[in-house]
Amino acid sequence: MILHLTISKSKTFKPAIDGQTTCTILAQHDSIYVAGRYNKYSRTLSQTPWIIDGVRKADTSVEELIALPINKLVTSKCHVFLSSGREDVDVRTLGLGRPFVVEFRQPSRISYNPEEFLAIQREINMLTKDIRVRDLQQVTKEQSNQIKEGEEEKTKCYEALCYTDRQIDQAELDQILASVPNPLVIEQKTPIRVLHRRTLMTRQRSISDLVATVIDPYHFRLRLTTQAGAYVKEFVHGDFARTKPNLTMILDCFVDILELDVLAVNIDFPPMLDNQNDENNSLCDINEK
């Protein structure tokens, strides 16, 4: 069958324009990404601005101590701070620090010399004793994505100062912890302390390399390695049995954390720089309390 189509010309109407027509073209730079690692030595400093119901609870934050000095160089319109996890306000981050990336949007330019960021790094480290920055460098957008890749697979190392409500000695601690599977798989309901901002769910995480050193009959230091996303405080005290098993169950006595430190965030990002020699001597010793 052959179909015959008849196409008629449609009328085109030219709109009437009175006066002049103007066109505005805006041009702006792409975002730039600045990566590094930070140590946090304060137990009263939040990672991001701490604002509740419009009221600021602290004068500054890790984000501001890092991003604002960099922004004096790049003069961007705004920035976005990303890190490989986050520590609580009262937790220190020691060792080689926690990886972070800051995206600066609409910067004044997009190319910078490594020496410029080294100068900013030194400025940050001179301005405050609460944090320290290392390996500050410009990275590509694709490189910056590494900070979130393998989120479930990476591990973190911690040290906790713990308290027990009964006397316990080194021999008992060693014997009990030697019987714990390595790794120990735990199930954690969303902790009560973060329920206001986290979805209620049960997460399965692994704990490994549990080592305890007695300080006195009621105190010991605990070192452990965890899968990313594990809540260490709740693993120790149990969070009203919302974390199972927990250290309180394992030791058969009440245990709580008095102090907690992050010793390592095991992610290979960003690349370590060769210009850190003058900074390394000032890094916090993980054994210094």
Side-chain angles (χ1 to χ4, degrees):
M1 182 189 326
I2 299 177
L3 295 177
H4 297 278
L5 299 178
T6 303
I7 302 176
S8 60
K9 293 182 179 179
S10 59
K11 294 183 179 180
T12 302
F13 297 93
K14 183 178 180 181
I17 299 177
D18 296 327
Q20 296 181 342
T21 300
T22 60
C23 178
T24 302
I25 299 176
L26 298 177
Q28 63 187 38
H29 283 134
D30 288 338
S31 295
I32 66 163
Y33 299 83
V34 180
R37 283 178 175 258
Y38 73 81
N39 294 105
K40 182 169 87 75
Y41 304 134
S42 169
R43 296 196 188 277
T44 60
L45 183 67
S46 61
Q47 187 190 74
T48 54
W50 191 6
I51 301 172
I52 300 177
D53 297 328
V55 178
R56 191 178 184 106
K57 298 297 183 180
D59 293 335
T60 189
S61 64
V62 172
E63 174 185 335
E64 291 163 300
L65 290 173
I66 294 174
L68 296 184
I70 301 174
N71 199 48
K72 290 192 299 183
L73 172 66
V74 304
T75 58
S76 66
K77 295 295 183 182
C78 61
H79 71 266
V80 178
F81 185 88
L82 298 173
S83 65
S84 183
R86 61 188 299 153
E87 67 284 310
D88 292 338
V89 171
D90 60 347
V91 176
R92 298 189 303 177
T93 297
L94 308 179
L96 293 179
R98 185 183 298 278
F100 68 87
V101 172
V102 189
E103 177 190 357
F104 292 95
R105 296 174 176 173
Q106 300 184 43
S108 58
R109 53 192 171 100
I110 58 174
S111 295
Y112 298 85
N113 296 322
E115 291 76 15
E116 293 179 283
F117 289 115
L118 180 59
I120 294 294
Q121 175 176 300
R122 288 171 174 159
E123 177 185 343
I124 294 170
N125 294 341
M126 290 178 60
L127 286 175
T128 177
K129 294 182 180 180
D130 288 340
I131 69 164
R132 194 163 192 87
V133 173
R134 58 174 292 125
D135 300 318
L136 197 66
Q137 59 194 278
Q138 185 174 356
V139 297
T140 65
K141 181 178 181 180
E142 291 71 27
Q143 289 174 320
S144 72
N145 293 333
Q146 296 178 36
I147 202 166
K148 292 301 179 184
E149 291 176 357
E151 194 74 23
E152 296 294 319
E153 288 75 26
K154 72 180 179 217
T155 60
K156 300 178 183 180
C157 302
Y158 295 88
E159 182 172 273
L161 173 60
C162 299
Y163 160 83
T164 62
D165 65 351
R166 69 170 176 86
Q167 293 191 26
I168 193 166
D169 59 29
Q170 189 67 55
E172 182 182 1
L173 269 176
D174 291 344
Q175 181 180 4
I176 294 174
L177 294 182
S179 65
V180 175
N182 189 10
L184 173 67
V185 178
I186 63 173
E187 291 192 347
Q188 293 191 303
K189 289 184 179 178
T190 303
I192 292 173
R193 63 186 173 92
V194 298
L195 268 177
H196 63 287
R197 56 185 173 87
R198 295 286 176 87
T199 303
L200 175 59
M201 60 183 297
T202 300
R203 300 169 177 84
Q204 191 176 84
R205 294 291 185 266
S206 64
I207 308 289
S208 61
D209 304 323
L210 284 168
V211 177
T213 305
V214 168
I215 300 173
D216 61 45
Y218 293 96
H219 299 86
F220 64 89
R221 290 198 183 278
L222 177 72
R223 286 206 178 194
L224 66 163
T225 300
T226 74
Q227 180 184 355
Y231 293 97
V232 177
K233 293 177 179 178
E234 283 68 24
F235 166 68
V236 171
H237 60 64
D239 197 28
F240 301 101
R242 295 168 64 83
T243 292
K244 294 181 180 180
N246 56 67
L247 198 59
T248 291
M249 295 171 56
I250 293 170
L251 298 183
D252 194 25
C253 65
F254 176 75
V255 189
D256 204 357
I257 284 184
L258 302 179
E259 293 180 347
L260 181 62
D261 294 325
V262 181
L263 301 185
V265 179
N266 298 318
I267 175 176
D268 190 19
F269 177 85
M272 296 183 67
L273 301 179
D274 294 333
N275 58 20
Q276 305 302 303
N277 292 334
D278 59 336
E279 304 282 340
N280 285 341
N281 293 332
S282 301
L283 290 175
C284 182
D285 180 0
I286 63 175
N287 295 311
E288 179 186 343
K289 304 299 174 190

